[in-house]
Amino acid sequence: MIQIKNKLFLDNFLLAYAIPIFIAIGISIVLFVKATTIVFSGNDTRATFYALTEGMENYYQFKTAWKPRLFSTGLAAFTANLSETFFGKDFILSAQNSLEMTVGLWTASWFAIIALVLILFLKQRSLFYIFGLFAVISFGYMDIARTNLALRLYPWDMPSLFVFTLFVLLFVQKKYNWLLFLLPLGVGFKETVMILCFGFLFIEAPYKQRIHKFIIAFSLCLLVKLSLDMYVRAPLFFTMETEAEQNFLIYNLSRFRDAVPFFINAGTLLSFLLLPSMGNTKISILKVLTVLFVIGNLFFGILTEYRIWLEIAPFALYAFDTRVYGNYSE
């Protein structure tokens, strides 16, 4: 009997933790190598990762749309310092210089953190999400145009994906009070996190409670956003690129004459929007948030810069998990 229990314990441990962790480490290595290939002297990757390494006076001259993402740029600068302190010129794998080392460590570490959270919440089920996110990230960082300027990796890409992933895990398990802490924190990494506040308007709760939670969440996020704007000397709230000459919406709509934009996030975005919710309230809410996110990107982003779509991948993966395999969350 003891041997059987020990065998079951070992099997459960291997399936729930050991195997997913081992695979996550393997994928992190792949992403480390992939990230180092994205570092080109002509694009903005170096500027964004080292924006805070020369002090706040120089940071005040940083691009307005990026300055308020202080948690991302701050941690990126910290990672750059750690990389130079501990590794110096002893680069590993594909890294050939300190910038490549920094970007590789940053990307691999954030993926490992995301994978660890998924494993803690979902155990063996996490493998579906880990492989799914790997496919999405690979799509987001592919170099279709084969030019140095076509491919970018920014410090806020992976932290924002982490926040959206943790949001899904907490939201579907109705841990709403934790979200009141997560969302304001996430705004410091990237302001698109504010969209997630609208999820409270559709939760299964009395109308007044939904409004109350939305107001609290949005107010806290707004407070963080405005505080960071003031601290980095950026325009209050309206820090996105909105100049008429950008014509983002017109440009983005014209890009749909090509086939690739229909496969954003390795095909998961459109598939998710087309997937029937079948009365699942959580999936319907995530679809509403996705539509808001899509509208925002069409107006203020570049459609074919595929890394800007990474955050909403966990929404699609949760829906596929629910509809195809049955779900853990109820």
Side-chain angles (χ1 to χ4, degrees):
M1 183 64 71
I2 295 177
Q3 289 182 338
I4 294 175
K5 288 184 177 179
N6 288 339
K7 186 178 184 302
L8 289 175
F9 173 81
L10 180 60
D11 287 347
N12 290 334
F13 177 79
L14 287 172
L15 289 172
Y17 300 105
I19 291 175
I21 288 174
F22 188 77
I23 291 174
I25 293 173
I27 293 177
S28 296
I29 293 173
V30 176
L31 290 178
F32 177 96
V33 174
K34 175 62 177 174
T36 61
T37 67
I38 299 176
V39 180
F40 300 116
S41 59
N43 65 18
D44 301 313
T45 300
R46 172 180 287 276
T48 54
F49 271 85
Y50 285 76
L52 263 173
T53 56
E54 298 181 4
M56 286 302 299
E57 288 301 322
N58 284 329
Y59 193 76
Y60 293 144
Q61 310 307 315
F62 197 40
K63 189 174 181 178
T64 298
W66 299 341
K67 281 195 294 186
R69 300 169 183 177
L70 193 62
F71 296 174
S72 294
T73 54
L75 280 178
F78 178 72
T79 303
N81 290 331
L82 283 180
S83 176
E84 294 180 4
T85 300
F86 288 99
F87 293 98
K89 294 184 179 180
D90 297 325
F91 307 123
I92 60 176
L93 294 175
S94 55
Q96 300 296 314
N97 54 59
S98 58
L99 175 60
E100 291 183 4
M101 191 71 184
T102 297
V103 175
L105 287 174
W106 177 266
T107 305
S109 298
W110 273 107
F111 182 83
I113 293 171
I114 293 170
L116 180 59
V117 169
L118 287 167
I119 292 167
L120 291 175
F121 272 83
L122 308 178
K123 298 182 175 60
Q124 62 263 37
R125 256 188 129 113
S126 63
L127 282 174
F128 173 77
Y129 293 80
I130 289 171
F131 280 117
L133 289 179
F134 176 50
V136 170
I137 293 169
S138 298
F139 186 96
Y141 289 140
M142 64 181 176
D143 188 1
I144 295 178
R146 294 187 179 277
T147 63
N148 287 355
L149 298 179
L151 202 54
R152 301 167 181 170
L153 190 156
Y154 290 156
W156 42 84
D157 295 346
M158 296 300 289
S160 186
L161 176 59
F162 166 77
V163 173
F164 274 66
T165 300
L166 187 53
F167 168 83
V168 172
L169 295 173
L170 294 173
F171 186 80
V172 299
Q173 295 187 14
K174 301 180 180 180
K175 299 183 184 296
Y176 301 135
N177 290 335
W178 283 100
L179 294 177
L180 297 178
F181 171 79
L182 174 67
L183 300 188
L185 179 65
V187 170
F189 290 101
K190 192 178 181 184
E191 63 282 348
T192 50
V193 171
M194 295 183 72
I195 290 175
L196 301 177
C197 295
F198 289 93
F200 286 114
L201 294 176
F202 306 99
I203 61 175
E204 297 174 351
Y207 177 76
K208 289 184 179 180
Q209 190 176 99
R210 283 181 278 161
I211 296 296
H212 180 67
K213 288 187 180 296
F214 167 75
I215 291 175
I216 293 176
F218 193 83
S219 298
L220 290 173
C221 288
L222 186 61
L223 178 62
V224 171
K225 170 64 174 163
L226 295 178
S227 298
L228 289 173
D229 288 345
M230 288 189 290
Y231 183 73
V232 300
R233 301 180 184 177
L236 294 182
F237 191 77
F238 295 102
T239 52
M240 64 286 287
E241 292 182 346
T242 56
E243 293 88 346
E245 60 268 21
Q246 296 288 347
N247 288 322
F248 284 136
L249 180 61
I250 296 175
Y251 171 82
N252 288 332
L253 293 178
S254 71
R255 292 300 90 192
F256 281 106
R257 65 191 176 198
D258 302 323
V260 177
F262 289 97
F263 295 92
I264 285 173
N265 281 356
T268 61
L269 174 55
L270 184 58
S271 297
F272 170 51
L273 293 176
L274 294 176
L275 181 74
S277 299
M278 298 297 289
N280 187 302
T281 304
K282 298 183 182 71
I283 293 179
S284 298
I285 295 172
L286 294 177
K287 281 190 176 185
V288 171
L289 297 178
T290 298
V291 170
L292 293 176
F293 188 92
V294 169
I295 292 172
N297 273 357
L298 290 178
F299 275 96
F300 304 117
I302 299 176
L303 175 74
T304 51
E305 194 173 351
Y306 295 113
R307 61 170 194 83
I308 70 174
W309 303 96
L310 296 180
E311 293 105 307
I312 51 177
F315 295 179
L317 294 176
Y318 169 77
F320 301 148
D321 184 18
T322 301
R323 292 298 318 283
V324 177
Y325 302 110
N327 206 270
Y328 59 88
S329 64
E330 298 299 339

